[in-house]
């Protein structure tokens, strides 16, 4: 079986072929379930990483194992004990001579810490996804302050978008990150420092004028859509909303009223979020919706079937927990990617 991971970045195509290897485990290899105590500053990802578990492969298993010991199903309590999913320890790996070792492909756009993408499947092989994070460059989007520091929509939408790109790549997709930052990869801080150096694919300056800025993105996506004619193509736009401070919103989705495929994409991701809330927050009703919003410029003008996602209200305290916590941003990206897979498989 061959796995192929492809990403176009600045005109360069990266390809990884991985051959299946036979892994023989020693008789005395053991699986273990560790119980550890969360320390101040620990999040789910950092706790898993600290104790030798792959944070992205074991995230959902960890939540399932500890769901009754988490705040809002995603936050750790300092000083409480948590179960870590099974980690295979002390393995001696024997690789058959005709096989090669499994390796990932590194992408600078994700930053040094998260650069490597390890293949998980070929479910989305050769599918093309265009990812657009809201605002950027001279326009930070919605803004507010958190513990006395300014935070902006574009930084958090971009971080979720990068995490989503990495998830899609791991399943064999071709991914175009349309709004790009040369030095901000995936970040695990709560407060993401603001800057104005984002560019549009491949390296275009982002205009200050709103209409010119939106038109630039539409033109880029539509040009790439034409170049990839005949392939399965989808567009995902990610924004953070700004409403009154008292208005807590769930993640919701827009699509073009005349696009059956766009509606199906939005509905598939929406269904995934509904299922996740039932699994991880059974006492809380998910009120996010999916609906047509053809009046939005990107929804109306872009050619691929698309969904426009609002991930929360940046000025609302409850929504800030969803947006500022890196574990939550990773969960958002993973759930969106699962909805994307559901959409394609259906």
């Amino acid at each position: 079986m061959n796995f192929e991971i492809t990403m176009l970045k600045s005109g360069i195509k990266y390809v990884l072929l991985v051959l299946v290897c036979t892994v023989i485990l020693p008789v005395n290899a053991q699986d273990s379930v560790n119980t550890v105590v969360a320390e101040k500053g620990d999040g789910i990802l950092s706790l898993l990483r600290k104790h030798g578990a792959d944070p992205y492969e074991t995230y959902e298993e960890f939540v399932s194992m500890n769901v009754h010991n988490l705040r809002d199903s995603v936050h750790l309590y300092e000083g409480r004990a948590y179960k870590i999913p099974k980690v295979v320890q002390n393995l001696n790996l024997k690789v058959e001579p005709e096989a090669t070792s499994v390796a990932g492909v590194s992408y600078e756009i994700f930053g040094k810490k998260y650069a490597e993408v390890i293949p998980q499947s070929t479910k989305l092989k050769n599918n093309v996804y265009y990812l657009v994070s809201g605002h950027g460059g001279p326009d930070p989007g919605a803004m507010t302050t958190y513990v006395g520091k300014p935070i902006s929509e574009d930084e958090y939408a971009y971080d979720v978008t990068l995490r989503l790109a990495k998830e899609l790549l791991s399943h064999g997709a071709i991914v175009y990150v349309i709004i790009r930052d040369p030095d901000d990869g995936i970040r695990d801080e709560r407060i993401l420092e603001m800057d104005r150096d984002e560019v549009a694919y491949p390296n275009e300056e982002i205009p200050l004028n709103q209409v010119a800025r939106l038109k630039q993105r539409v033109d880029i996506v539509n040009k790439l859509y034409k170049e990839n004619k005949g392939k399965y193509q989808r567009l995902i736009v990610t924004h953070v909303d700004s409403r009154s401070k008292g208005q807590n919103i769930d993640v919701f989705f827009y699509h073009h009223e005349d696009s059956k495929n766009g509606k199906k994409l939005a509905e598939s991701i929406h269904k995934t979020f509904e299922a996740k809330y039932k699994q991880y927050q059974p006492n809380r009703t998910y009120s996010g919706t999916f609906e047509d919003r053809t009046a939005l410029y990107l929804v109306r003008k872009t050619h691929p079937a698309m969904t426009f996602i609002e991930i929360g209200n940046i000025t609302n305290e409850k929504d800030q927990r969803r947006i500022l916590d890196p574990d939550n941003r990773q969960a958002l990206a993973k759930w969106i990617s699962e909805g994307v897979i559901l959409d394609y498989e259906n």
Side-chain angles (χ1 to χ4, degrees):
M1 181 184 298
N2 288 335
F3 292 90
E4 183 176 355
I5 294 282
T6 310
M7 180 179 186
L8 297 181
K9 184 176 70 172
S10 300
I12 301 174
K13 183 178 182 181
Y14 296 82
V15 178
L16 168 68
L17 294 178
V18 181
L19 301 178
V20 172
C21 63
T22 302
V23 179
I24 301 176
L25 305 183
V27 175
N28 60 352
Q30 296 182 352
D31 289 348
S32 63
V33 179
N34 295 327
T35 301
V36 300
V37 176
E39 299 176 351
K40 185 176 182 179
D42 279 340
I44 295 177
L45 297 182
S46 61
L47 187 73
L48 290 169
R49 193 180 295 113
K50 184 189 301 182
H51 294 282
D54 185 314
Y56 301 112
E57 291 295 319
T58 58
Y59 180 90
E60 292 198 14
E61 184 179 357
F62 175 90
V63 172
S64 296
M65 294 170 66
N66 298 281
V67 66
H68 299 299
N69 202 19
L70 297 169
R71 177 169 57 83
D72 294 334
S73 300
V74 289
H75 299 289
L76 304 177
Y77 289 99
E78 180 184 349
R80 290 193 183 180
Y82 293 91
K83 296 177 181 179
I84 298 292
K86 294 180 180 181
V87 180
V88 181
Q89 300 176 339
N90 301 321
L91 300 185
N92 295 315
L93 302 183
K94 178 183 178 183
V95 180
E96 297 298 330
E98 67 272 18
T100 64
S101 61
V102 176
V105 176
S106 292
Y107 303 101
E108 292 182 8
I109 196 170
F110 298 133
K112 186 175 181 180
K113 183 178 180 181
Y114 292 105
E116 188 176 26
V117 176
I118 303 296
Q120 298 183 51
S121 78
T122 56
K123 292 179 180 179
L124 302 176
K125 184 177 180 181
N126 294 327
N127 290 3
V128 179
Y129 294 92
Y130 308 104
L131 307 185
V132 178
S133 56
H135 304 277
D139 175 24
M143 295 181 61
T144 188
T145 58
Y146 179 77
V147 296
K149 292 190 176 183
I151 57 174
S152 64
E153 171 181 2
D154 65 328
E155 302 296 341
Y156 293 90
Y158 183 63
D159 191 73
V160 172
T161 296
L162 286 185
R163 294 171 186 270
L164 173 59
K166 187 169 182 177
E167 289 289 332
L168 298 178
L169 283 168
S170 73
H171 293 289
I174 299 169
V175 179
Y176 292 87
V177 178
I178 303 302
I179 302 303
R180 316 159 70 81
D181 191 300
D183 50 26
D184 287 342
I186 293 173
R187 293 174 283 176
D188 285 337
E189 293 79 23
R190 293 181 64 82
I191 296 178
L192 301 183
E193 297 291 338
M194 296 170 54
D195 60 28
R196 303 294 177 90
D197 59 349
E198 293 86 6
V199 296
Y201 178 92
N203 192 32
E204 296 183 15
E205 182 179 353
I206 298 175
L208 176 60
N209 178 271
Q210 182 186 21
V211 175
R213 187 172 61 249
L214 295 174
K215 185 177 185 302
Q216 179 189 57
R217 297 171 193 210
V218 167
D219 290 345
I220 292 169
V221 170
N222 288 347
K223 181 176 181 292
L224 292 170
Y225 179 79
K226 185 176 180 180
E227 292 175 0
N228 287 294
K229 184 178 180 181
K231 295 180 180 178
Y232 181 95
Q233 304 183 59
R234 295 292 184 267
L235 165 63
I236 300 172
V237 180
T238 307
H239 275 256
V240 180
D241 204 357
S242 177
R243 305 187 181 196
S244 66
K245 289 186 178 180
Q247 189 168 4
N248 169 225
I249 63 172
D250 277 325
V251 180
F252 57 95
F253 313 89
Y254 296 139
H255 60 86
H256 194 290
E257 62 182 348
D258 295 328
S259 173
K260 292 182 179 179
N261 287 331
K263 180 180 180 181
K264 189 168 76 71
L265 174 62
E267 185 176 13
S268 295
I269 304 175
H270 179 264
K271 284 182 177 179
T272 301
F273 271 71
E274 279 188 321
K276 296 298 183 182
Y277 270 73
K278 287 180 181 178
Q279 180 180 0
Y280 298 131
Q281 300 188 47
N283 297 322
R284 182 183 180 285
T285 301
Y286 173 65
S287 59
T289 60
F290 73 97
E291 58 190 65
D292 69 86
R293 191 76 178 272
T294 309
L296 292 172
Y297 192 96
L298 261 67
V299 176
R300 187 172 74 254
K301 296 288 188 177
T302 49
H303 294 164
M306 65 92 71
T307 185
F308 186 110
I309 304 175
E310 295 277 11
I311 61 175
N313 178 5
I314 197 170
T315 63
N316 179 269
E317 183 178 344
K318 289 184 178 180
D319 283 7
Q320 284 179 350
R321 296 175 190 168
R322 181 191 312 150
I323 299 164
L324 270 63
D325 191 301
D327 289 354
N328 290 348
R329 297 198 296 271
Q330 180 59 32
L332 284 170
K334 188 169 182 59
W335 294 0
I336 294 170
S337 72
E338 290 182 15
V340 168
I341 292 172
L342 176 65
D343 170 65
Y344 179 66
E345 291 182 338
N346 286 342

